Amino acid sequence: MSTGARRILANTGYRLLADAGSKVASVAFYVVMARELGAKSFGVFTFGLAFVVLTTTLGNFGQDSVLTREVARDHSLLDHYFANTLVLNIVISSLSLAIAIGLASAFGIPSQTRTVLLLLGPAAVLELLMSTCFASFQAFERLEFVPIALISQRMLTALAGITALLAGAGVVTVAAIYLAGSLFGFTLALRLFLGRIARPTLRVAPKSWLPLMKGAAAIGLSSVFAVVLFRVDMTMLASFKPAVVVGHYGAAYRLLEATLFVSWSVSSAVYPVFSRLSPTSEPRVGFVFERGVKLGIALTFPLAAGALVLADRAVQVLYGAEYSDAATALRLLAPAIALYPITYVTASFLVSQRRQRTMMIVFGLVALENILANFVLIPWLSLNGAALGTSISTLLLSVSLLACAQQTAGRLEWARILAGPTIAAVVAGGAMFLLRENFAVAVVAGGAVYLAVLFLFERRLFPDDAQAVFDLLPRRA
């Protein structure tokens, strides 16, 4: 296997490890918090965290993506981008926080809520700075440090928070612990970067901030459109249907969201590679793009097959019989599970080739389509209409982004990309269907069958691709 393929696979694994580990720690923390604080205080924390994350969104409005792209192409540009991105994030997010918390206080929020905001606000800023460190790791294709920093932060926060909660701590103490964990995470990420990768000159040039923000604006707007595209269905469903229907759809949608880290991980690994390649480089950027898309769908096709075949059993095992109405919605979301990596990898490709405006237009148009479609589908089909609308929009997004990408990447070999994962998913789906009465056995058997069929098919027809995907012990050159 080539050094480049080995590095992509290794970095995908590192990112998968980071996201999976951090999710486990966070879920444990929030479950204990909800139980120990009670609904009211847990609501204060939940509101506070959502408030500060939303308020600080402008602090990193695509600047990290620009940093990764430019530094991946020329490591000497780190001196320009690193410090300026950090300071720009601090200035914008701090100003946004100060204004938002000031306005909230003027409208008379309770003192406890205000205190929680004052603690969680700096925590949100520190996590933005931590993400800039991660973008720098990404630019150097050294994602092995991301799980070290991210899992350490989440585990420390969870352990300290759970201990304090079991000892009777209140929501303000928990917010303070969250702030301490964020400070620890940023400090560790910064030390890892400066000590193990590079020591950039910490030179700040405020006159470069406006061009940096202009260059990142299209990426930031695309992120806004993506949030609208993938969140508006829940809001519109709540406007048309009772809360219980929203709850059933939320149960199905959470299972879709649980698969997204796969797409993020693949995209994180291939984005810096895309950034330093071009249509005329060796290898061509289109060659790597094709295999990046293939890696993404190879990881999500079995998840989509499981959602399609085992929806009833999955919902019953995870949520209970009272959520049975969520099963059909989950099946209708299965195409979105399969297609998500195409959208993420292709969006990363377009940004890497400086075509972020094209990506922004596509995301904006599909977001508008999704809103209009939901006005028809939700009153007609309820939560199933929302699920169907999500999958239709994801399909439109994938096809549109791919059409734009092929202008730069060249013609893609779709038989090479789709044949193996599709055949393996169909066979694995059949195995899961036969064993569906025992959910755990069906999941394990389906996964084993999928891997075996995919490996045999790829090894027979595309041996280079099979080696790249299935070498589970990659080594750095």
Side-chain angles (χ1 to χ4, degrees):
M1 179 169 53
S2 69
T3 300
R6 185 181 297 122
R7 184 178 294 117
I8 289 173
L9 186 58
N11 283 328
T12 300
Y14 293 134
R15 189 70 219 202
L16 283 168
L17 175 62
D19 290 333
S22 64
K23 280 183 180 294
V24 170
S26 296
V27 167
F29 181 36
Y30 291 134
V31 167
V32 175
M33 191 192 309
R35 290 177 178 271
E36 297 296 323
L37 289 182
K40 182 178 180 180
S41 292
F42 182 61
V44 170
F45 184 91
T46 304
F47 163 77
L49 189 59
F51 181 90
V52 298
V53 169
L54 181 63
T55 301
T56 56
T57 298
L58 285 176
N60 193 343
F61 204 60
Q63 297 95 310
D64 282 353
S65 294
V66 173
L67 182 155
T68 299
R69 181 185 67 196
E70 300 303 325
V71 175
R73 292 176 173 176
D74 184 354
H75 288 176
S76 68
L77 292 176
L78 181 69
D79 289 339
H80 170 71
Y81 281 98
F82 186 73
N84 282 296
T85 301
L86 283 177
V87 176
L88 183 59
N89 287 351
I90 294 172
V91 171
I92 295 177
S93 58
S94 297
L95 285 174
S96 300
L97 273 174
I99 294 171
I101 295 176
L103 289 173
S105 299
F107 280 100
I109 60 171
S111 60
Q112 184 187 62
T113 303
R114 183 169 58 251
T115 302
V116 169
L117 292 178
L118 290 172
L119 290 168
L120 293 180
V125 176
L126 288 166
E127 291 192 344
L128 282 180
L129 304 183
M130 191 175 176
S131 70
T132 299
C133 293
F134 291 167
S136 302
F137 293 145
Q138 192 179 0
F140 284 83
E141 297 176 57
R142 298 293 301 276
L143 294 184
E144 66 265 32
F145 296 113
V146 174
I148 296 175
L150 189 58
I151 294 177
S152 296
Q153 180 214 0
R154 296 289 196 261
M155 287 295 295
L156 177 67
T157 303
L159 289 173
I162 290 172
T163 301
L165 285 163
L166 295 177
V171 65
V172 172
T173 302
V174 173
I177 291 171
Y178 192 94
L179 172 58
S182 299
L183 178 60
F184 170 81
F186 168 63
T187 303
L188 178 58
L190 185 62
R191 286 178 63 87
L192 286 170
F193 182 71
L194 297 179
R196 301 294 184 89
I197 298 180
R199 284 187 169 272
T201 302
L202 301 180
R203 183 174 63 249
V204 178
K207 65 181 180 180
S208 68
W209 293 356
L210 185 57
L212 179 58
M213 291 189 67
K214 285 183 177 179
I219 302 172
L221 285 173
S222 297
S223 298
V224 172
F225 292 143
V227 170
V228 172
L229 173 58
F230 298 119
R231 296 292 182 185
V232 73
D233 53 349
M234 197 80 69
T235 303
M236 295 181 68
L237 186 63
S239 300
F240 286 105
K241 301 295 178 179
V244 66
V245 175
V246 179
H248 289 162
Y249 182 63
Y253 201 88
R254 291 297 175 268
L255 296 178
L256 164 66
E257 288 185 324
T259 69
L260 298 188
F261 73 94
V262 174
S263 302
W264 299 336
S265 300
V266 175
S267 180
S268 295
V270 297
Y271 176 54
V273 182
F274 293 161
S275 297
R276 56 182 172 80
L277 298 179
S278 71
T280 58
S281 63
E282 182 57 41
R284 294 182 302 104
V285 69
F287 177 86
V288 180
F289 172 62
E290 182 178 274
R291 281 147 185 80
V293 171
K294 182 172 183 175
L295 176 59
I297 65 172
L299 293 171
T300 57
F301 268 33
L303 303 176
L308 191 63
V309 175
L310 299 176
D312 291 303
R313 296 292 296 152
V315 168
Q316 183 177 5
V317 169
L318 295 174
Y319 296 110
E322 63 270 26
Y323 282 90
S324 59
D325 288 349
T328 301
L330 179 58
R331 288 194 180 92
L332 291 169
L333 288 170
I337 295 174
L339 293 169
Y340 254 116
I342 297 178
T343 65
Y344 275 99
V345 173
T346 308
S348 294
F349 173 81
L350 290 171
V351 174
S352 75
Q353 302 301 302
R354 299 182 184 276
R355 299 189 61 194
Q356 57 265 30
R357 290 187 179 180
T358 300
M359 179 186 69
M360 177 189 68
I361 293 170
V362 171
F363 268 99
L365 291 175
V366 177
L368 177 61
E369 172 276 328
N370 184 259
I371 293 172
L372 296 176
N374 276 325
F375 273 116
V376 176
L377 293 172
I378 289 176
W380 177 30
L381 298 173
S382 187
L383 73 162
N384 296 329
L388 180 61
T390 295
S391 287
I392 290 173
S393 296
T394 306
L395 175 62
L396 290 174
L397 189 61
S398 300
V399 172
S400 301
L401 289 174
L402 282 170
C404 296
Q406 285 192 198
Q407 297 174 17
T408 302
R411 185 175 180 179
L412 303 179
E413 297 181 44
W414 284 107
R416 183 179 198 130
I417 294 172
L418 293 174
T422 301
I423 292 171
V426 170
V427 176
M432 287 186 281
F433 179 78
L434 294 175
L435 299 168
R436 64 189 182 280
E437 295 304 320
N438 190 320
F439 180 71
V441 172
V443 170
V444 173
V449 169
Y450 179 83
L451 289 174
V453 173
L454 181 59
F455 179 76
L456 292 173
F457 181 91
E458 293 291 330
R459 187 173 185 180
R460 178 80 175 179
L461 296 181
F462 308 113
D464 293 339
D465 291 357
Q467 191 177 20
V469 174
F470 289 101
D471 187 342
L472 300 178
L473 295 173
R475 302 182 300 275
R476 292 190 64 83

Short mmCIF file of all heavy atoms in Angstrom, two decimals, residues 18-51:
data_model
loop_
_atom_site.label_atom_id
_atom_site.label_comp_id
_atom_site.label_asym_id
_atom_site.label_seq_id
_atom_site.Cartn_x
_atom_site.Cartn_y
_atom_site.Cartn_z
N ALA A 18 -11.10 9.46 18.06
CA ALA A 18 -11.33 10.69 18.82
C ALA A 18 -12.82 10.97 18.99
O ALA A 18 -13.30 11.26 20.09
CB ALA A 18 -10.65 11.87 18.13
N ASP A 19 -13.57 10.87 17.90
CA ASP A 19 -15.00 11.19 17.96
C ASP A 19 -15.77 10.15 18.77
O ASP A 19 -16.65 10.49 19.57
CB ASP A 19 -15.58 11.29 16.55
CG ASP A 19 -15.08 12.52 15.80
OD1 ASP A 19 -14.74 13.50 16.48
OD2 ASP A 19 -15.03 12.50 14.57
N ALA A 20 -15.45 8.87 18.57
CA ALA A 20 -16.17 7.82 19.30
C ALA A 20 -15.87 7.91 20.79
O ALA A 20 -16.78 7.83 21.63
CB ALA A 20 -15.78 6.45 18.75
N GLY A 21 -14.60 8.09 21.15
CA GLY A 21 -14.23 8.17 22.56
C GLY A 21 -14.84 9.37 23.26
O GLY A 21 -15.33 9.27 24.39
N SER A 22 -14.82 10.50 22.58
CA SER A 22 -15.38 11.70 23.19
C SER A 22 -16.90 11.61 23.34
O SER A 22 -17.46 12.09 24.32
CB SER A 22 -15.01 12.94 22.35
OG SER A 22 -15.60 12.89 21.06
N LYS A 23 -17.56 10.95 22.38
CA LYS A 23 -19.02 10.79 22.48
C LYS A 23 -19.40 9.92 23.67
O LYS A 23 -20.36 10.22 24.39
CB LYS A 23 -19.57 10.19 21.18
CG LYS A 23 -19.74 11.18 20.05
CD LYS A 23 -20.35 10.52 18.84
CE LYS A 23 -20.53 11.54 17.71
NZ LYS A 23 -21.51 12.58 18.05
N VAL A 24 -18.66 8.85 23.89
CA VAL A 24 -18.95 7.97 25.02
C VAL A 24 -18.83 8.73 26.33
O VAL A 24 -19.71 8.65 27.22
CB VAL A 24 -18.01 6.75 25.02
CG1 VAL A 24 -18.14 5.96 26.32
CG2 VAL A 24 -18.33 5.84 23.83
N ALA A 25 -17.75 9.49 26.49
CA ALA A 25 -17.55 10.25 27.73
C ALA A 25 -18.63 11.31 27.90
O ALA A 25 -19.16 11.51 29.01
CB ALA A 25 -16.16 10.89 27.72
N SER A 26 -18.95 12.01 26.84
CA SER A 26 -19.95 13.08 26.93
C SER A 26 -21.33 12.54 27.27
O SER A 26 -22.05 13.11 28.09
CB SER A 26 -20.00 13.86 25.61
OG SER A 26 -18.78 14.52 25.36
N VAL A 27 -21.71 11.43 26.63
CA VAL A 27 -23.02 10.85 26.90
C VAL A 27 -23.13 10.44 28.36
O VAL A 27 -24.14 10.69 29.04
CB VAL A 27 -23.30 9.65 25.97
CG1 VAL A 27 -24.50 8.86 26.44
CG2 VAL A 27 -23.52 10.13 24.54
N ALA A 28 -22.08 9.79 28.90
CA ALA A 28 -22.10 9.38 30.31
C ALA A 28 -22.24 10.60 31.22
O ALA A 28 -23.02 10.58 32.20
CB ALA A 28 -20.81 8.62 30.64
N PHE A 29 -21.54 11.67 30.92
CA PHE A 29 -21.59 12.89 31.71
C PHE A 29 -22.99 13.49 31.71
O PHE A 29 -23.56 13.82 32.77
CB PHE A 29 -20.57 13.88 31.15
CG PHE A 29 -20.48 15.19 31.88
CD1 PHE A 29 -20.64 15.27 33.26
CD2 PHE A 29 -20.23 16.36 31.19
CE1 PHE A 29 -20.53 16.48 33.94
CE2 PHE A 29 -20.12 17.57 31.84
CZ PHE A 29 -20.29 17.64 33.22
N TYR A 30 -23.60 13.58 30.53
CA TYR A 30 -24.91 14.21 30.43
C TYR A 30 -26.01 13.35 31.04
O TYR A 30 -26.98 13.87 31.61
CB TYR A 30 -25.23 14.53 28.97
CG TYR A 30 -24.37 15.63 28.40
CD1 TYR A 30 -23.78 15.52 27.15
CD2 TYR A 30 -24.13 16.79 29.14
CE1 TYR A 30 -22.98 16.53 26.64
CE2 TYR A 30 -23.32 17.81 28.64
CZ TYR A 30 -22.75 17.67 27.39
OH TYR A 30 -21.96 18.66 26.90
N VAL A 31 -25.88 12.03 30.94
CA VAL A 31 -26.88 11.16 31.55
C VAL A 31 -26.87 11.32 33.07
O VAL A 31 -27.92 11.48 33.71
CB VAL A 31 -26.63 9.69 31.16
CG1 VAL A 31 -27.45 8.75 32.03
CG2 VAL A 31 -26.97 9.46 29.68
N VAL A 32 -25.68 11.30 33.67
CA VAL A 32 -25.58 11.47 35.12
C VAL A 32 -26.04 12.87 35.52
O VAL A 32 -26.75 13.05 36.53
CB VAL A 32 -24.14 11.22 35.60
CG1 VAL A 32 -24.00 11.53 37.10
CG2 VAL A 32 -23.74 9.77 35.34
N MET A 33 -25.69 13.87 34.74
CA MET A 33 -26.09 15.24 35.05
C MET A 33 -27.61 15.36 35.05
O MET A 33 -28.20 15.98 35.96
CB MET A 33 -25.50 16.22 34.02
CG MET A 33 -25.64 17.69 34.41
SD MET A 33 -25.25 18.85 33.05
CE MET A 33 -23.67 18.25 32.50
N ALA A 34 -28.25 14.78 34.03
CA ALA A 34 -29.71 14.87 33.95
C ALA A 34 -30.36 14.20 35.16
O ALA A 34 -31.35 14.71 35.71
CB ALA A 34 -30.19 14.21 32.66
N ARG A 35 -29.81 13.07 35.58
CA ARG A 35 -30.39 12.35 36.71
C ARG A 35 -30.16 13.07 38.04
O ARG A 35 -31.05 13.15 38.89
CB ARG A 35 -29.80 10.94 36.79
CG ARG A 35 -30.25 10.03 35.65
CD ARG A 35 -29.56 8.67 35.76
NE ARG A 35 -30.00 7.75 34.73
CZ ARG A 35 -31.04 6.94 34.83
NH1 ARG A 35 -31.76 6.95 35.95
NH2 ARG A 35 -31.37 6.13 33.85
N GLU A 36 -28.97 13.62 38.24
CA GLU A 36 -28.61 14.20 39.53
C GLU A 36 -29.10 15.63 39.71
O GLU A 36 -29.47 16.04 40.81
CB GLU A 36 -27.08 14.15 39.72
CG GLU A 36 -26.51 12.74 39.78
CD GLU A 36 -27.02 11.96 40.97
OE1 GLU A 36 -27.19 12.56 42.06
OE2 GLU A 36 -27.27 10.74 40.81
N LEU A 37 -29.09 16.42 38.63
CA LEU A 37 -29.51 17.82 38.75
C LEU A 37 -31.02 17.98 38.71
O LEU A 37 -31.56 18.94 39.25
CB LEU A 37 -28.88 18.66 37.63
CG LEU A 37 -27.38 18.92 37.70
CD1 LEU A 37 -26.95 19.80 36.53
CD2 LEU A 37 -26.99 19.59 39.03
N GLY A 38 -31.69 17.07 38.02
CA GLY A 38 -33.12 17.25 37.81
C GLY A 38 -33.37 18.06 36.55
O GLY A 38 -32.48 18.73 36.02
N ALA A 39 -34.59 18.01 36.08
CA ALA A 39 -34.92 18.61 34.79
C ALA A 39 -34.67 20.12 34.75
O ALA A 39 -34.17 20.64 33.76
CB ALA A 39 -36.38 18.32 34.45
N LYS A 40 -34.97 20.82 35.85
CA LYS A 40 -34.84 22.28 35.82
C LYS A 40 -33.39 22.72 35.70
O LYS A 40 -33.04 23.52 34.83
CB LYS A 40 -35.47 22.88 37.08
CG LYS A 40 -35.42 24.40 37.11
CD LYS A 40 -36.12 24.96 38.35
CE LYS A 40 -36.07 26.48 38.36
NZ LYS A 40 -36.73 27.04 39.57
N SER A 41 -32.53 22.21 36.59
CA SER A 41 -31.12 22.62 36.55
C SER A 41 -30.41 22.09 35.31
O SER A 41 -29.55 22.76 34.73
CB SER A 41 -30.40 22.13 37.81
OG SER A 41 -30.88 22.81 38.94
N PHE A 42 -30.78 20.87 34.90
CA PHE A 42 -30.19 20.34 33.67
C PHE A 42 -30.61 21.20 32.48
O PHE A 42 -29.82 21.42 31.55
CB PHE A 42 -30.64 18.90 33.46
CG PHE A 42 -30.05 18.24 32.23
CD1 PHE A 42 -28.68 18.09 32.11
CD2 PHE A 42 -30.86 17.79 31.20
CE1 PHE A 42 -28.13 17.49 30.98
CE2 PHE A 42 -30.32 17.20 30.07
CZ PHE A 42 -28.96 17.04 29.96
N GLY A 43 -31.82 21.71 32.52
CA GLY A 43 -32.28 22.61 31.47
C GLY A 43 -31.48 23.90 31.44
O GLY A 43 -31.19 24.43 30.37
N VAL A 44 -31.09 24.40 32.61
CA VAL A 44 -30.26 25.60 32.68
C VAL A 44 -28.92 25.35 32.00
O VAL A 44 -28.44 26.17 31.20
CB VAL A 44 -30.05 26.04 34.14
CG1 VAL A 44 -29.00 27.14 34.23
CG2 VAL A 44 -31.36 26.52 34.75
N PHE A 45 -28.30 24.21 32.31
CA PHE A 45 -27.01 23.89 31.70
C PHE A 45 -27.15 23.70 30.20
O PHE A 45 -26.36 24.22 29.40
CB PHE A 45 -26.42 22.62 32.33
CG PHE A 45 -25.05 22.27 31.82
CD1 PHE A 45 -23.93 22.76 32.47
CD2 PHE A 45 -24.88 21.49 30.69
CE1 PHE A 45 -22.65 22.46 32.01
CE2 PHE A 45 -23.61 21.19 30.21
CZ PHE A 45 -22.50 21.67 30.87
N THR A 46 -28.19 22.95 29.79
CA THR A 46 -28.40 22.70 28.37
C THR A 46 -28.64 23.99 27.60
O THR A 46 -28.06 24.21 26.52
CB THR A 46 -29.59 21.74 28.17
OG1 THR A 46 -29.37 20.54 28.91
CG2 THR A 46 -29.79 21.40 26.71
N PHE A 47 -29.48 24.85 28.16
CA PHE A 47 -29.71 26.15 27.52
C PHE A 47 -28.42 26.95 27.46
O PHE A 47 -28.10 27.55 26.42
CB PHE A 47 -30.77 26.93 28.29
CG PHE A 47 -30.78 28.40 27.96
CD1 PHE A 47 -31.36 28.85 26.78
CD2 PHE A 47 -30.20 29.34 28.81
CE1 PHE A 47 -31.36 30.20 26.46
CE2 PHE A 47 -30.19 30.69 28.50
CZ PHE A 47 -30.77 31.12 27.31
N GLY A 48 -27.69 26.98 28.56
CA GLY A 48 -26.46 27.78 28.60
C GLY A 48 -25.45 27.33 27.57
O GLY A 48 -24.85 28.16 26.86
N LEU A 49 -25.27 26.01 27.43
CA LEU A 49 -24.29 25.51 26.47
C LEU A 49 -24.74 25.81 25.04
O LEU A 49 -23.94 26.24 24.21
CB LEU A 49 -24.11 24.00 26.67
CG LEU A 49 -22.96 23.37 25.88
CD1 LEU A 49 -21.63 24.01 26.24
CD2 LEU A 49 -22.91 21.87 26.14
N ALA A 50 -26.03 25.59 24.75
CA ALA A 50 -26.53 25.89 23.40
C ALA A 50 -26.40 27.38 23.10
O ALA A 50 -26.04 27.77 21.98
CB ALA A 50 -27.99 25.45 23.29
N PHE A 51 -26.68 28.21 24.10
CA PHE A 51 -26.62 29.67 23.93
C PHE A 51 -25.20 30.12 23.57
O PHE A 51 -24.99 30.88 22.62
CB PHE A 51 -27.08 30.35 25.22
CG PHE A 51 -27.09 31.85 25.17
CD1 PHE A 51 -28.22 32.54 24.77
CD2 PHE A 51 -25.97 32.59 25.53
CE1 PHE A 51 -28.24 33.93 24.73
CE2 PHE A 51 -25.97 33.97 25.50
CZ PHE A 51 -27.11 34.64 25.10
#
